[in-house]
Amino acid sequence: MFKKHFMHQKMMTKVLIALLPILLMAIYQFGWRVVLLLAVVLVAGSAAELFVMQQIQKDKVKLTEACFVTCALFTLSLPPATPIWVAVVGIVFGIVFAKAAFGGFGYNIFNPALVARCFVYVAFPTHLTYNWTEPFRGFPAGLTAFSGGVDMLTHATPMIGMKAGGELPPLSDLFFGLTSGSLGETSALLILLAAIYLIWTKTASWKIMVSTVASAGILTTIFYLTGVTPTPPQYMLLSGGLLYAAVFMATDPVSAPKGEEAKWIFGVMIGSFAVIIRRFSLFTEGIMFAILIANALTPLLERNIREWKNKAAAKAKAAVAAQGKEEAAR
Amino acid sequence: MIAPPISPVIIFLASIITSNMIFANFLGTCSYISVSSEFKTASGLGKAVTMVMVLTNALNWLIYRFVILPLGIDYLRNIIFIMVIAALVQILEMFMDRFLPDLHANLGIFLPLITVNCAILGATLFMVIRNYNFIQSVLFGLGSGIGWWLAICMMAAVRERMAKAKLPPGLGGPAIAFIITGIMAMAFVGFSGIFTIQ
């Protein structure tokens, strides 16, 4: 019964394994409420997917493992104090409108987890930008707590502090993740480990990760050196969701481009859009908008590269033919 | 009647990115939805819209400044603008048919469609409401046209890629196109605040 309605996907299992340490870190920092949030999101997301996909596949409907990955990625991208109903609205919107409406797994143009995150961010800004929980430290920290208490709310994240021109947190805190922020984005170390695991098992494209982070780094360095932004580039890279999104969201095998050149361009687009949005627009964090815009541009990009290649091939062919004619004339 | 002190270049960039005709103003969506099922046609329409937008914005600015304002017939401006657009498109088509047959073969079939494209009238009205000067108006028209072209190309590429997908019943064609546009517009919200042009 369970096997009949469940589609196992090897790649997705690896992503889930890579997410596990990050989830544990989130529990350690923010308490067991994380698990409750994740469970509710998983149930709501799976139900939404099954319901819509039933309209297409009738009784052959199967729950894909990719749906679990979407739910997990979405949950870990939320702030710790997110109300549960907001998370449910988000995941149902993401699964229904960004995945199932497009025909289910393998056809979605946009990353459903990001659409969900972006939707709640735009629709419920108060719940997603004002309440930040100060993380627990030491031992047993969050392992014995349900959630960070009320008195810990309204603490700005390092990113918000930087945009407001406040003082910078210690770099090591940013690296190990002892700062406030969304559930999964705080620890750069764990995300890097997950990235190594994903690249090692050939689950995610290293080209996208490298080009995203490198282009963001280069652009922030330029901004820093020219005095456009006062924040040094290493802080920009380690704070906020840039690493998390570059490793887990941008590399989504369905919505990311398939061609090699397209992957590089895709990453560069994400990195530079993210930095531009962070610096110039109304929002503190730009990476999710950047990836969605890059997702929207991907089919156009792939099409242009294909056309350009065809033209180059036709040209080469014509050149070879002309050469052959010349030789024949001789 | 003083033009806002904004660099025309900023207006040009803003009308592509932050105040895109499709993603921010939702103007011209009728032809955007109905002509985006094939990439080549979509791109052709986009080019034609860009060209017409630049020309009508320039012409309408001159007419507004030197005819409508001096005569004090501001209440007639919408009708006059529409007539100017329709006449210009017709003249353009005849001119292209006579002198530029290649271009006419590519863009000519779209020109009649453009007469009723609300993005064109929208660009003209925005330019009047915001008191742009001549250079600002022309660059605003160019930027809006390019933004519209980009949007319809993105849409056509997306729809071409999902041609094989099996959609839920009732969501094929325009329905899914609206959903895609909505998500794209949501993504472009991220750029808001970079430029202000009013």
Side-chain angles (χ1 to χ4, degrees):
Chain A
M1 174 67 193
F2 183 69
K3 259 197 174 159
K4 201 177 132 200
H5 290 295
F6 183 73
M7 191 157 91
H8 182 67
Q9 287 161 314
K10 255 189 190 164
M11 254 171 119
M12 296 301 162
T13 316
K14 282 174 188 151
V15 179
L16 287 177
I17 292 173
L19 279 171
L20 199 62
I22 297 175
L23 175 68
L24 292 177
M25 180 73 181
I27 298 171
Y28 169 77
Q29 281 189 300
F30 302 111
W32 289 97
R33 187 174 182 275
V34 179
V35 178
L36 175 71
L37 196 66
L38 180 65
V40 174
V41 167
L42 273 176
V43 172
S46 310
E49 166 144 321
L50 276 179
F51 177 74
V52 184
M53 293 312 286
Q54 205 178 19
Q55 316 285 320
I56 310 175
Q57 300 167 330
K58 305 294 172 208
D59 43 325
K60 269 187 262 163
V61 63
K62 275 186 176 176
L63 188 62
T64 55
E65 202 169 341
C67 177
F68 292 172
V69 172
T70 302
C71 295
L73 284 176
F74 171 69
T75 312
L76 288 176
S77 73
L78 292 171
T82 313
I84 285 173
W85 66 269
V86 170
V88 170
V89 169
I91 195 66
V92 170
F93 181 88
I95 294 275
V96 171
F97 285 100
K99 192 174 173 200
F102 286 80
F105 177 75
Y107 297 109
N108 49 310
I109 304 289
F110 304 95
N111 184 335
L114 266 178
V115 172
R117 177 66 167 88
C118 199
F119 176 71
V120 289
Y121 187 62
V122 174
F124 311 111
T126 33
H127 292 297
L128 278 116
T129 46
Y130 291 134
N131 294 343
W132 295 98
T133 317
E134 176 71 0
F136 293 105
R137 282 165 187 257
F139 191 81
L143 298 176
T144 52
F146 178 65
S147 68
V150 183
D151 54 328
M152 290 177 175
L153 293 178
T154 64
H155 184 276
T157 66
M159 285 242 2
I160 296 172
M162 276 181 225
K163 187 142 182 168
E167 62 182 75
L168 301 168
L171 201 58
S172 63
D173 274 13
L174 281 178
F175 186 71
F176 292 111
L178 302 172
T179 55
S180 57
S182 294
L183 291 170
E185 72 180 20
T186 50
S187 170
L189 177 70
L190 287 180
I191 294 169
L192 286 179
L193 287 179
I196 291 169
Y197 173 76
L198 289 178
I199 293 170
W200 188 262
T201 54
K202 294 194 173 129
T203 313
S205 156
W206 63 272
K207 288 174 187 135
I208 295 176
M209 295 183 200
V210 169
S211 55
T212 306
V213 176
S215 57
I218 291 169
L219 200 58
T220 35
T221 314
I222 295 173
F223 280 178
Y224 179 59
L225 292 179
T226 52
V228 178
T229 158
T231 322
Q234 65 267 31
Y235 286 95
M236 274 303 224
L237 285 184
L238 290 178
S239 65
L242 196 132
L243 282 178
Y244 176 77
V247 170
F248 290 107
M249 304 283 207
T251 54
D252 168 29
V254 182
S255 57
K258 313 280 179 297
E260 299 304 307
E261 300 92 340
K263 279 181 185 166
W264 288 107
I265 302 174
F266 180 73
V268 171
M269 281 198 299
I270 295 174
S272 31
F273 286 161
V275 173
I276 290 172
I277 292 175
R278 268 189 189 187
R279 171 62 187 82
F280 295 105
S281 91
L282 300 170
F283 302 99
T284 9
E285 180 55 299
I287 185 79
M288 55 185 175
F289 293 114
I291 296 179
L292 279 182
I293 294 169
N295 278 166
L297 284 166
T298 298
L300 185 61
L301 178 73
E302 280 190 311
R303 198 181 189 287
N304 281 347
I305 287 179
R306 202 166 57 229
E307 223 161 55
W308 180 75
K309 270 190 175 167
N310 285 348
K311 253 185 209 165
K315 228 181 211 174
K317 219 177 180 182
V320 169
Q323 213 175 13
K325 252 185 206 168
E326 254 174 41
E327 269 168 24
R330 258 182 232 158
Chain B
M1 284 309 291
I2 300 160
I6 310 167
S7 157
V9 180
I10 297 283
I11 291 182
F12 171 72
L13 291 176
S15 53
I16 298 177
I17 302 166
T18 49
S19 358
N20 189 300
M21 274 293 165
I22 296 281
F23 298 137
N25 296 315
F26 296 97
L27 286 177
T29 33
C30 29
S31 40
Y32 161 81
I33 297 282
S34 58
V35 189
S36 61
S37 42
E38 202 196 330
F39 186 83
K40 269 211 159 131
T41 0
S43 180
L45 180 65
K47 285 177 203 164
V49 164
T50 310
M51 195 170 72
V52 172
M53 240 182 218
V54 175
L55 291 175
T56 50
N57 256 22
L59 193 62
N60 277 336
W61 189 88
L62 293 173
I63 288 175
Y64 185 69
R65 180 75 184 71
F66 295 111
V67 179
I68 297 180
L69 282 185
L71 291 180
I73 46 170
D74 206 30
Y75 56 94
L76 281 178
R77 70 179 186 197
N78 289 7
I79 295 174
I80 294 176
F81 289 153
I82 292 171
M83 273 160 43
V84 168
I85 292 168
L88 183 88
V89 169
Q90 278 307 312
I91 295 169
L92 202 65
E93 196 187 351
M94 287 193 269
F95 176 83
M96 272 165 57
D97 195 16
R98 176 72 181 82
F99 294 105
L100 304 161
D102 281 355
L103 197 63
H104 183 257
N106 278 327
L107 302 184
I109 37 168
F110 305 115
L111 284 173
L113 256 179
I114 289 173
T115 318
V116 288
N117 188 334
C118 44
I120 308 273
L121 182 65
T124 296
L125 290 177
F126 278 140
M127 136 204 126
V128 168
I129 292 165
R130 294 173 189 169
N131 289 331
Y132 287 160
N133 63 25
F134 186 71
I135 297 170
Q136 284 172 334
S137 301
V138 172
L139 278 175
F140 176 66
L142 182 65
S144 299
I146 291 176
W148 200 89
W149 181 17
L150 176 76
I152 197 173
C153 281
M154 279 163 74
M155 187 65 186
V158 168
R159 285 178 86 168
E160 213 164 65
R161 192 179 122 173
M162 36 184 305
K164 286 187 208 106
K166 207 177 161 199
L167 302 176
L171 273 186
I176 192 73
F178 276 114
I179 292 177
I180 298 170
T181 315
I183 297 177
M184 283 181 182
M186 195 169 76
F188 270 75
V189 163
F191 281 126
S192 58
I194 297 185
F195 307 112
T196 40
I197 54 166
Q198 314 192 31

